[in-house]
Amino acid sequence: MRISKEKAAEHRRAIVEAAGRRFRGRGFDGVAVADVMKEAGFTHGGFYNHFDSKEALAAAACHDEIGRANLGLATELGRKGRPWERYRDQYLSAEHRDDPAHGCPVSALAADVARQPRTVQASFAAGVAAVLDTLAAHFARSSRDPRRRALREYSEMIGALILSRAVADADPALADEILAASRV
Amino acid sequence: MRISKEKAAEHRRAIVEAAGRRFRGRGFDGVAVADVMKEAGFTHGGFYNHFDSKEALAAAACHDEIGRANLGLATELGRKGRPWERYRDQYLSAEHRDDPAHGCPVSALAADVARQPRTVQASFAAGVAAVLDTLAAHFARSSRDPRRRALREYSEMIGALILSRAVADADPALADEILAASRV
DNA sequence: TGTACATCAGTGAACGCGCGTTCACTGATGTAC
DNA sequence: TGTACATCAGTGAACGCGCGTTCACTGATGTAC
Protein backbone atom coordinates (compact mmCIF):
# COMPACT_ATOMS: atom_id res chain seq x y z
CA MET A 1 0.00 0.00 0.00
CA ARG A 2 1.14 3.51 -0.72
CA ILE A 3 2.38 5.58 2.22
CA SER A 4 2.36 9.37 2.77
CA LYS A 5 5.48 11.27 1.84
CA GLU A 6 6.13 12.18 5.46
CA LYS A 7 5.84 8.54 6.53
CA ALA A 8 8.09 7.43 3.71
CA ALA A 9 10.79 9.92 4.70
CA GLU A 10 10.46 8.77 8.29
CA HIS A 11 10.86 5.17 7.19
CA ARG A 12 13.95 6.06 5.22
CA ARG A 13 15.44 7.65 8.29
CA ALA A 14 14.62 4.53 10.33
CA ILE A 15 16.38 2.37 7.76
CA VAL A 16 19.53 4.50 7.83
CA GLU A 17 19.58 4.42 11.61
CA ALA A 18 19.14 0.67 11.77
CA ALA A 19 21.88 0.31 9.18
CA GLY A 20 24.20 2.51 11.20
CA ARG A 21 23.82 0.33 14.26
CA ARG A 22 24.14 -2.95 12.37
CA PHE A 23 27.11 -1.85 10.31
CA ARG A 24 28.98 -0.63 13.36
CA GLY A 25 28.29 -3.88 15.16
CA ARG A 26 29.15 -6.33 12.40
CA GLY A 27 30.80 -4.43 9.57
CA PHE A 28 29.34 -3.68 6.15
CA ASP A 29 29.72 -7.18 4.79
CA GLY A 30 28.47 -8.83 7.97
CA VAL A 31 25.04 -7.29 7.59
CA ALA A 32 22.38 -8.25 5.05
CA VAL A 33 19.96 -5.75 3.58
CA ALA A 34 17.17 -7.96 4.94
CA ASP A 35 18.69 -7.65 8.46
CA VAL A 36 18.60 -3.89 8.29
CA MET A 37 15.04 -3.81 6.96
CA LYS A 38 13.87 -6.22 9.64
CA GLU A 39 15.53 -4.15 12.38
CA ALA A 40 13.81 -1.08 10.94
CA GLY A 41 10.49 -2.92 11.00
CA PHE A 42 9.98 -3.73 7.31
CA THR A 43 10.36 -6.55 4.85
CA HIS A 44 13.36 -6.51 2.58
CA GLY A 45 11.62 -6.00 -0.75
CA GLY A 46 10.83 -2.35 -0.14
CA PHE A 47 14.44 -1.44 0.37
CA TYR A 48 14.94 -0.45 -3.25
CA ASN A 49 12.18 2.11 -3.05
CA HIS A 50 14.55 4.07 -0.79
CA PHE A 51 18.04 3.24 -2.05
CA ASP A 52 19.62 2.23 -5.33
CA SER A 53 21.83 -0.35 -3.66
CA LYS A 54 23.37 -1.54 -0.41
CA GLU A 55 26.34 0.60 -1.32
CA ALA A 56 24.15 3.72 -1.34
CA LEU A 57 22.82 2.77 2.08
CA ALA A 58 26.36 2.36 3.42
CA ALA A 59 27.30 5.80 2.11
CA ALA A 60 24.19 7.37 3.65
CA ALA A 61 24.81 5.61 6.97
CA CYS A 62 28.43 6.81 7.07
CA HIS A 63 27.36 10.35 6.35
CA ASP A 64 24.71 10.41 9.06
CA GLU A 65 26.67 8.50 11.68
CA ILE A 66 29.89 10.45 11.45
CA GLY A 67 27.98 13.71 11.18
CA ARG A 68 26.24 12.90 14.44
CA ALA A 69 29.52 11.81 16.03
CA ASN A 70 31.16 15.06 15.00
CA LEU A 71 28.29 17.06 16.44
CA GLY A 72 28.59 15.13 19.69
CA LEU A 73 32.33 15.77 19.83
CA ALA A 74 31.89 19.49 19.18
CA THR A 75 29.26 19.71 21.91
CA GLU A 76 31.47 17.92 24.42
CA LEU A 77 34.46 20.09 23.56
CA GLY A 78 32.37 23.17 24.28
CA ARG A 79 32.05 22.25 27.97
CA LYS A 80 34.25 23.47 30.81
CA GLY A 81 37.13 21.65 32.43
CA ARG A 82 39.29 19.38 30.30
CA PRO A 83 36.67 18.30 27.81
CA TRP A 84 38.98 16.52 25.39
CA GLU A 85 40.48 14.40 28.16
CA ARG A 86 37.01 13.50 29.37
CA TYR A 87 35.83 12.65 25.89
CA ARG A 88 38.88 10.52 25.17
CA ASP A 89 38.72 8.65 28.47
CA GLN A 90 35.11 7.75 27.84
CA TYR A 91 35.98 6.75 24.31
CA LEU A 92 38.66 4.47 25.73
CA SER A 93 36.34 2.80 28.24
CA ALA A 94 35.52 -0.90 28.39
CA GLU A 95 31.85 0.00 27.83
CA HIS A 96 32.56 1.67 24.53
CA ARG A 97 34.90 -1.13 23.49
CA ASP A 98 32.32 -3.80 24.27
CA ASP A 99 29.39 -2.14 22.50
CA PRO A 100 30.55 -1.06 19.06
CA ALA A 101 27.00 -1.03 17.69
CA HIS A 102 26.25 2.02 19.82
CA GLY A 103 29.71 3.53 19.66
CA CYS A 104 31.86 5.61 17.36
CA PRO A 105 31.45 4.76 13.66
CA VAL A 106 34.99 5.79 12.80
CA SER A 107 36.74 3.16 14.90
CA ALA A 108 34.05 0.61 14.08
CA LEU A 109 34.25 1.03 10.30
CA ALA A 110 37.60 2.59 9.39
CA ALA A 111 39.23 -0.69 8.38
CA ASP A 112 36.11 -1.88 6.55
CA VAL A 113 35.81 1.33 4.59
CA ALA A 114 39.14 0.81 2.85
CA ARG A 115 37.58 -2.18 1.05
CA GLN A 116 34.26 -0.54 0.22
CA PRO A 117 33.28 1.20 -3.04
CA ARG A 118 34.39 4.76 -3.68
CA THR A 119 31.07 6.35 -2.76
CA VAL A 120 31.28 4.87 0.73
CA GLN A 121 34.90 5.92 1.09
CA ALA A 122 34.06 9.46 0.02
CA SER A 123 31.28 9.74 2.58
CA PHE A 124 33.50 8.35 5.32
CA ALA A 125 36.48 10.52 4.44
CA ALA A 126 34.41 13.69 4.45
CA GLY A 127 33.17 12.81 7.92
CA VAL A 128 36.64 12.09 9.26
CA ALA A 129 37.98 15.32 7.79
CA ALA A 130 35.25 17.24 9.61
CA VAL A 131 35.98 15.48 12.91
CA LEU A 132 39.68 16.30 12.61
CA ASP A 133 38.82 19.93 11.89
CA THR A 134 36.68 20.03 15.02
CA LEU A 135 39.49 18.61 17.10
CA ALA A 136 42.17 20.85 15.60
CA ALA A 137 40.00 23.88 16.29
CA HIS A 138 39.76 22.83 19.91
CA PHE A 139 43.53 22.58 20.24
CA ALA A 140 44.08 25.96 18.58
CA ARG A 141 44.29 27.73 21.93
CA SER A 142 46.37 25.21 23.85
CA SER A 143 48.84 23.84 21.29
CA ARG A 144 51.62 25.19 19.15
CA ASP A 145 50.75 22.77 16.36
CA PRO A 146 47.05 22.09 16.92
CA ARG A 147 46.51 20.33 13.63
CA ARG A 148 49.29 17.85 14.22
CA ARG A 149 48.22 17.31 17.79
CA ALA A 150 44.66 16.57 16.66
CA LEU A 151 45.85 14.03 14.10
CA ARG A 152 48.18 12.26 16.52
CA GLU A 153 45.79 12.10 19.43
CA TYR A 154 42.98 10.93 17.20
CA SER A 155 45.14 8.22 15.62
CA GLU A 156 46.21 6.98 19.03
CA MET A 157 42.65 6.89 20.32
CA ILE A 158 41.31 5.06 17.27
CA GLY A 159 44.23 2.64 17.24
CA ALA A 160 43.92 1.83 20.93
CA LEU A 161 40.22 1.08 20.63
CA ILE A 162 40.63 -1.10 17.54
CA LEU A 163 43.54 -3.02 19.06
CA SER A 164 41.71 -3.46 22.34
CA ARG A 165 38.65 -4.79 20.53
CA ALA A 166 40.80 -7.21 18.56
CA VAL A 167 42.21 -8.86 21.67
CA ALA A 168 39.28 -8.33 24.04
CA ASP A 169 37.86 -11.85 23.95
CA ALA A 170 41.15 -13.73 23.94
CA ASP A 171 43.17 -11.55 26.31
CA PRO A 172 40.96 -9.22 28.39
CA ALA A 173 43.85 -8.08 30.58
CA LEU A 174 45.85 -6.91 27.58
CA ALA A 175 42.74 -5.28 26.13
CA ASP A 176 42.24 -3.26 29.32
CA GLU A 177 45.92 -2.40 29.47
CA ILE A 178 45.84 -1.01 25.94
CA LEU A 179 42.95 1.30 26.77
CA ALA A 180 44.42 2.38 30.11
CA ALA A 181 47.77 3.27 28.54
CA SER A 182 46.16 5.88 26.31
CA ARG A 183 43.90 7.41 28.96
CA VAL A 184 44.66 10.40 31.22
CA MET B 1 47.58 -38.68 -6.80
CA ARG B 2 49.29 -39.12 -3.48
CA ILE B 3 52.20 -36.78 -2.69
CA SER B 4 55.29 -37.28 -0.48
CA LYS B 5 55.06 -36.06 3.11
CA GLU B 6 57.72 -33.43 2.47
CA LYS B 7 55.85 -32.11 -0.56
CA ALA B 8 52.59 -32.09 1.37
CA ALA B 9 54.12 -30.07 4.21
CA GLU B 10 55.59 -27.69 1.66
CA HIS B 11 52.18 -27.29 0.02
CA ARG B 12 50.61 -26.55 3.38
CA ARG B 13 53.16 -23.82 3.95
CA ALA B 14 52.42 -22.38 0.51
CA ILE B 15 48.71 -22.33 1.33
CA VAL B 16 49.26 -20.48 4.61
CA GLU B 17 51.50 -17.95 2.90
CA ALA B 18 49.03 -17.33 0.11
CA ALA B 19 46.29 -16.96 2.71
CA GLY B 20 48.35 -14.47 4.66
CA ARG B 21 48.77 -12.26 1.64
CA ARG B 22 45.16 -12.51 0.53
CA PHE B 23 43.72 -11.96 3.99
CA ARG B 24 45.84 -8.88 4.56
CA GLY B 25 44.82 -7.50 1.20
CA ARG B 26 41.08 -8.12 1.36
CA GLY B 27 40.19 -9.21 4.87
CA PHE B 28 39.11 -12.67 6.00
CA ASP B 29 35.63 -12.48 4.54
CA GLY B 30 36.79 -10.92 1.30
CA VAL B 31 38.80 -14.00 0.38
CA ALA B 32 37.42 -17.35 -0.76
CA VAL B 33 39.12 -20.64 0.06
CA ALA B 34 39.26 -21.25 -3.70
CA ASP B 35 41.14 -17.94 -4.14
CA VAL B 36 43.77 -18.97 -1.65
CA MET B 37 44.20 -22.41 -3.18
CA LYS B 38 44.46 -20.96 -6.66
CA GLU B 39 47.11 -18.45 -5.53
CA ALA B 40 49.00 -21.32 -3.91
CA GLY B 41 48.79 -23.26 -7.18
CA PHE B 42 46.11 -25.86 -6.37
CA THR B 43 42.44 -26.55 -6.89
CA HIS B 44 40.11 -25.88 -4.00
CA GLY B 45 39.04 -29.45 -3.28
CA GLY B 46 42.30 -30.44 -1.62
CA PHE B 47 42.08 -27.68 0.95
CA TYR B 48 40.42 -29.92 3.53
CA ASN B 49 43.31 -32.35 3.44
CA HIS B 50 45.32 -29.61 5.16
CA PHE B 51 42.82 -27.74 7.30
CA ASP B 52 39.56 -28.49 9.08
CA SER B 53 37.98 -25.23 7.98
CA LYS B 54 38.61 -21.74 6.69
CA GLU B 55 38.63 -20.67 10.32
CA ALA B 56 41.59 -22.98 11.02
CA LEU B 57 43.43 -21.47 8.07
CA ALA B 58 42.79 -17.97 9.36
CA ALA B 59 44.18 -18.91 12.76
CA ALA B 60 47.26 -20.50 11.21
CA ALA B 61 47.82 -17.50 8.96
CA CYS B 62 47.55 -15.09 11.91
CA HIS B 63 50.04 -17.14 13.89
CA ASP B 64 52.59 -17.29 11.10
CA GLU B 65 52.17 -13.73 9.88
CA ILE B 66 52.37 -12.00 13.22
CA GLY B 67 55.20 -14.28 14.30
CA ARG B 68 57.16 -13.22 11.27
CA ALA B 69 56.28 -9.57 11.83
CA ASN B 70 57.45 -9.79 15.43
CA LEU B 71 60.72 -11.37 14.34
CA GLY B 72 61.20 -8.59 11.81
CA LEU B 73 60.53 -5.95 14.43
CA ALA B 74 62.96 -7.53 16.90
CA THR B 75 65.64 -7.69 14.22
CA GLU B 76 65.16 -4.04 13.27
CA LEU B 77 65.22 -2.94 16.89
CA GLY B 78 68.58 -4.68 17.30
CA ARG B 79 70.26 -2.30 14.87
CA LYS B 80 72.16 0.88 15.73
CA GLY B 81 70.89 4.44 15.58
CA ARG B 82 67.25 5.11 16.33
CA PRO B 83 65.80 1.81 15.16
CA TRP B 84 62.28 2.33 16.47
CA GLU B 85 61.96 5.70 14.78
CA ARG B 86 63.19 4.17 11.54
CA TYR B 87 60.81 1.24 11.83
CA ARG B 88 57.84 3.47 12.59
CA ASP B 89 58.57 5.93 9.81
CA GLN B 90 58.73 3.11 7.30
CA TYR B 91 55.56 1.65 8.76
CA LEU B 92 53.89 5.03 8.26
CA SER B 93 54.98 5.36 4.63
CA ALA B 94 52.67 5.71 1.65
CA GLU B 95 54.19 2.50 0.24
CA HIS B 96 53.13 0.48 3.26
CA ARG B 97 49.72 2.10 3.31
CA ASP B 98 49.10 1.37 -0.36
CA ASP B 99 50.19 -2.28 -0.27
CA PRO B 100 48.50 -3.95 2.70
CA ALA B 101 48.84 -7.41 1.16
CA HIS B 102 52.59 -7.25 1.74
CA GLY B 103 52.44 -5.20 4.93
CA CYS B 104 51.83 -5.62 8.62
CA PRO B 105 49.10 -8.14 9.45
CA VAL B 106 48.16 -6.37 12.68
CA SER B 107 46.97 -3.14 11.09
CA ALA B 108 45.52 -5.04 8.13
CA LEU B 109 43.44 -7.47 10.22
CA ALA B 110 42.91 -5.99 13.69
CA ALA B 111 39.40 -4.75 13.00
CA ASP B 112 38.43 -7.93 11.14
CA VAL B 113 39.65 -10.16 13.93
CA ALA B 114 37.14 -8.76 16.41
CA ARG B 115 34.39 -10.40 14.30
CA GLN B 116 36.16 -13.69 13.72
CA PRO B 117 35.75 -16.93 15.71
CA ARG B 118 37.57 -17.37 18.99
CA THR B 119 40.37 -19.51 17.60
CA VAL B 120 41.36 -16.74 15.21
CA GLN B 121 41.14 -14.13 17.94
CA ALA B 122 43.33 -16.23 20.22
CA SER B 123 46.00 -16.63 17.56
CA PHE B 124 45.94 -12.93 16.79
CA ALA B 125 45.99 -11.83 20.42
CA ALA B 126 48.98 -14.03 21.23
CA GLY B 127 50.86 -12.46 18.34
CA VAL B 128 50.01 -8.91 19.37
CA ALA B 129 51.01 -9.64 22.97
CA ALA B 130 54.40 -10.85 21.75
CA VAL B 131 54.90 -7.78 19.57
CA LEU B 132 54.10 -5.48 22.49
CA ASP B 133 56.56 -7.39 24.66
CA THR B 134 59.24 -6.92 22.03
CA LEU B 135 58.55 -3.20 21.87
CA ALA B 136 58.39 -2.76 25.65
CA ALA B 137 61.72 -4.55 26.00
CA HIS B 138 63.24 -2.12 23.54
CA PHE B 139 62.02 0.87 25.53
CA ALA B 140 63.27 -0.59 28.81
CA ARG B 141 66.55 1.36 28.61
CA SER B 142 65.21 4.67 27.37
CA SER B 143 61.85 5.09 29.10
CA ARG B 144 60.62 5.42 32.65
CA ASP B 145 57.43 3.51 31.79
CA PRO B 146 58.51 1.36 28.83
CA ARG B 147 55.38 -0.77 28.82
CA ARG B 148 53.05 2.17 28.62
CA ARG B 149 55.20 3.86 26.03
CA ALA B 150 55.12 0.71 23.90
CA LEU B 151 51.35 0.46 24.12
CA ARG B 152 50.78 4.12 23.28
CA GLU B 153 53.24 4.32 20.41
CA TYR B 154 51.93 1.10 18.94
CA SER B 155 48.32 2.26 19.19
CA GLU B 156 49.15 5.53 17.50
CA MET B 157 51.04 3.83 14.69
CA ILE B 158 48.29 1.28 14.04
CA GLY B 159 45.56 3.91 14.26
CA ALA B 160 47.35 6.28 11.89
CA LEU B 161 47.83 3.58 9.27
CA ILE B 162 44.24 2.35 9.48
CA LEU B 163 42.82 5.88 9.31
CA SER B 164 45.11 6.79 6.45
CA ARG B 165 44.04 3.71 4.52
CA ALA B 166 40.38 4.51 5.13
CA VAL B 167 40.62 7.94 3.52
CA ALA B 168 43.42 7.25 1.01
CA ASP B 169 41.29 6.96 -2.12
CA ALA B 170 38.85 9.74 -1.33
CA ASP B 171 41.20 12.28 0.26
CA PRO B 172 44.87 11.52 -0.48
CA ALA B 173 46.10 14.77 1.04
CA LEU B 174 44.44 13.99 4.36
CA ALA B 175 45.76 10.44 4.19
CA ASP B 176 49.32 11.70 3.78
CA GLU B 177 48.84 14.27 6.51
CA ILE B 178 47.71 11.59 8.96
CA LEU B 179 50.83 9.53 8.33
CA ALA B 180 53.17 12.51 8.45
CA ALA B 181 51.77 13.71 11.78
CA SER B 182 52.82 10.49 13.50
CA ARG B 183 56.27 10.24 11.91
CA VAL B 184 59.63 11.64 13.15
C1' DT C 1 65.00 -56.66 -1.82
C1' DG C 2 60.55 -57.31 -4.03
C1' DT C 3 55.54 -57.41 -4.10
C1' DA C 4 50.69 -56.41 -2.84
C1' DC C 5 47.83 -53.49 -0.66
C1' DA C 6 46.30 -49.49 2.03
C1' DT C 7 46.72 -44.66 2.44
C1' DC C 8 45.95 -40.11 1.35
C1' DA C 9 47.09 -35.40 -1.41
C1' DG C 10 45.05 -33.50 -5.15
C1' DT C 11 41.07 -32.95 -8.72
C1' DG C 12 36.77 -31.11 -10.14
C1' DA C 13 31.78 -31.69 -9.86
C1' DA C 14 28.10 -30.99 -6.74
C1' DC C 15 25.37 -29.46 -2.58
C1' DG C 16 23.25 -26.17 0.39
C1' DC C 17 22.95 -21.81 2.02
C1' DG C 18 22.89 -16.75 2.34
C1' DC C 19 22.74 -12.60 0.08
C1' DG C 20 21.82 -8.59 -3.26
C1' DT C 21 18.55 -7.63 -6.32
C1' DT C 22 14.22 -8.09 -9.18
C1' DC C 23 9.40 -8.61 -9.87
C1' DA C 24 4.28 -9.01 -9.79
C1' DC C 25 1.05 -7.53 -6.80
C1' DT C 26 -1.67 -4.57 -3.30
C1' DG C 27 -4.00 -0.65 -1.89
C1' DA C 28 -3.64 3.99 0.14
C1' DT C 29 -2.00 8.53 -1.40
C1' DG C 30 -1.62 12.19 -4.56
C1' DT C 31 -3.36 14.55 -8.66
C1' DA C 32 -5.94 15.97 -12.76
C1' DC C 33 -10.27 17.36 -14.07
C1' DT D 1 -15.52 19.97 -3.41
C1' DG D 2 -16.00 15.47 -5.55
C1' DT D 3 -14.53 11.76 -8.58
C1' DA D 4 -11.48 8.80 -11.43
C1' DC D 5 -7.09 7.45 -12.26
C1' DA D 6 -2.06 7.19 -11.79
C1' DT D 7 1.59 6.65 -8.57
C1' DC D 8 4.44 4.39 -5.56
C1' DA D 9 5.79 2.35 -0.57
C1' DG D 10 5.54 -1.97 1.12
C1' DT D 11 5.07 -7.30 0.66
C1' DG D 12 6.90 -11.75 -0.12
C1' DA D 13 8.30 -15.04 -3.67
C1' DA D 14 11.91 -15.83 -6.84
C1' DC D 15 16.43 -15.43 -9.37
C1' DG D 16 21.30 -15.76 -9.85
C1' DC D 17 25.55 -15.87 -7.90
C1' DG D 18 29.42 -16.85 -4.78
C1' DC D 19 31.11 -19.36 -1.15
C1' DG D 20 32.28 -23.11 2.43
C1' DT D 21 32.18 -27.69 2.44
C1' DT D 22 31.54 -32.59 0.78
C1' DC D 23 32.32 -36.40 -2.19
C1' DA D 24 33.74 -39.97 -5.61
C1' DC D 25 37.66 -40.67 -7.96
C1' DT D 26 42.81 -41.00 -9.26
C1' DG D 27 47.27 -42.70 -8.74
C1' DA D 28 51.75 -42.12 -6.42
C1' DT D 29 53.57 -42.99 -1.77
C1' DG D 30 54.21 -45.58 2.26
C1' DT D 31 54.00 -50.00 4.56
C1' DA D 32 53.43 -54.91 5.78
C1' DC D 33 55.06 -59.23 4.66
Side-chain angles (χ1 to χ4, degrees):
Chain A
M1 52 207 157
R2 191 170 185 184
I3 251 74
S4 77
K5 291 201 166 185
E6 289 74 24
K7 278 284 174 198
E10 197 178 301
H11 292 174
R12 194 194 134 104
R13 252 174 278 126
I15 293 167
V16 175
E17 270 179 41
R21 260 171 284 136
R22 293 296 227 202
F23 286 153
R24 277 179 285 165
R26 308 191 194 179
F28 295 112
D29 295 342
V31 176
V33 166
D35 286 345
V36 172
M37 291 301 280
K38 192 174 182 185
E39 167 134 343
F42 305 101
T43 54
H44 65 277
F47 174 77
Y48 294 88
N49 291 323
H50 293 286
F51 298 95
D52 282 347
S53 61
K54 187 185 179 186
E55 173 182 342
L57 172 65
C62 277
H63 179 270
D64 284 24
E65 295 279 321
I66 310 186
R68 194 187 344 255
N70 189 24
L71 222 62
L73 172 63
T75 304
E76 288 297 321
L77 292 181
R79 298 192 198 286
K80 293 186 193 295
R82 299 173 134 275
W84 164 245
E85 283 74 9
R86 272 211 315 279
Y87 181 89
R88 186 193 55 198
D89 290 3
Q90 204 174 343
Y91 198 101
L92 296 175
S93 66
E95 292 71 39
H96 185 199
R97 178 191 64 210
D98 298 336
D99 190 14
H102 300 93
C104 172
V106 178
S107 46
L109 297 172
D112 268 38
V113 157
R115 298 175 197 129
Q116 290 298 309
R118 292 299 253 269
T119 57
V120 182
Q121 297 185 354
S123 173
F124 187 89
V128 168
V131 168
L132 290 170
D133 287 347
T134 300
L135 198 52
H138 175 70
F139 288 139
R141 273 170 287 152
S142 58
S143 277
R144 198 116 61 77
D145 191 345
R147 179 80 186 165
R148 182 165 182 236
R149 183 167 173 209
L151 293 167
R152 293 194 64 180
E153 296 232 15
Y154 198 67
S155 287
E156 181 181 344
M157 187 175 77
I158 296 280
L161 192 66
I162 291 174
L163 258 189
S164 184
R165 278 180 178 156
V167 305
D169 286 336
D171 192 340
L174 180 59
D176 287 342
E177 200 192 359
I178 290 167
L179 294 186
S182 290
R183 281 197 302 257
V184 178
Chain B
M1 51 208 155
R2 193 171 184 185
I3 251 73
S4 76
K5 291 201 168 184
E6 290 75 24
K7 278 286 174 198
E10 197 178 301
H11 292 174
R12 195 194 132 104
R13 250 174 279 127
I15 293 167
V16 175
E17 270 179 42
R21 259 170 286 135
R22 293 295 227 201
F23 286 153
R24 277 178 285 166
R26 308 192 196 178
F28 296 113
D29 296 343
V31 177
V33 166
D35 286 345
V36 172
M37 291 301 279
K38 192 173 183 186
E39 167 133 344
F42 306 101
T43 54
H44 66 276
F47 174 77
Y48 294 88
N49 291 323
H50 292 286
F51 297 94
D52 283 347
S53 61
K54 187 185 178 185
E55 171 182 343
L57 173 64
C62 278
H63 179 270
D64 284 24
E65 295 280 320
I66 311 186
R68 195 190 337 259
N70 189 24
L71 221 64
L73 172 62
T75 303
E76 289 296 321
L77 292 181
R79 299 193 196 283
K80 295 187 192 296
R82 299 174 135 275
W84 164 246
E85 283 72 11
R86 272 212 313 279
Y87 182 90
R88 186 194 54 197
D89 289 3
Q90 203 174 344
Y91 198 103
L92 296 175
S93 66
E95 291 71 38
H96 186 199
R97 177 192 64 209
D98 297 336
D99 190 14
H102 299 94
C104 172
V106 178
S107 46
L109 297 172
D112 268 37
V113 157
R115 298 172 197 133
Q116 290 298 308
R118 291 299 252 269
T119 57
V120 182
Q121 296 186 353
S123 174
F124 187 89
V128 168
V131 168
L132 290 171
D133 288 347
T134 299
L135 198 54
H138 174 71
F139 288 139
R141 273 170 286 152
S142 58
S143 276
R144 199 116 61 78
D145 191 345
R147 180 78 185 165
R148 181 164 184 238
R149 183 168 171 207
L151 293 166
R152 293 193 64 179
E153 296 232 14
Y154 198 67
S155 288
E156 181 181 343
M157 186 175 76
I158 296 280
L161 192 65
I162 291 175
L163 258 190
S164 184
R165 279 181 177 155
V167 305
D169 286 336
D171 192 342
L174 180 59
D176 287 341
E177 200 192 0
I178 291 168
L179 293 186
S182 290
R183 280 198 303 257
V184 177

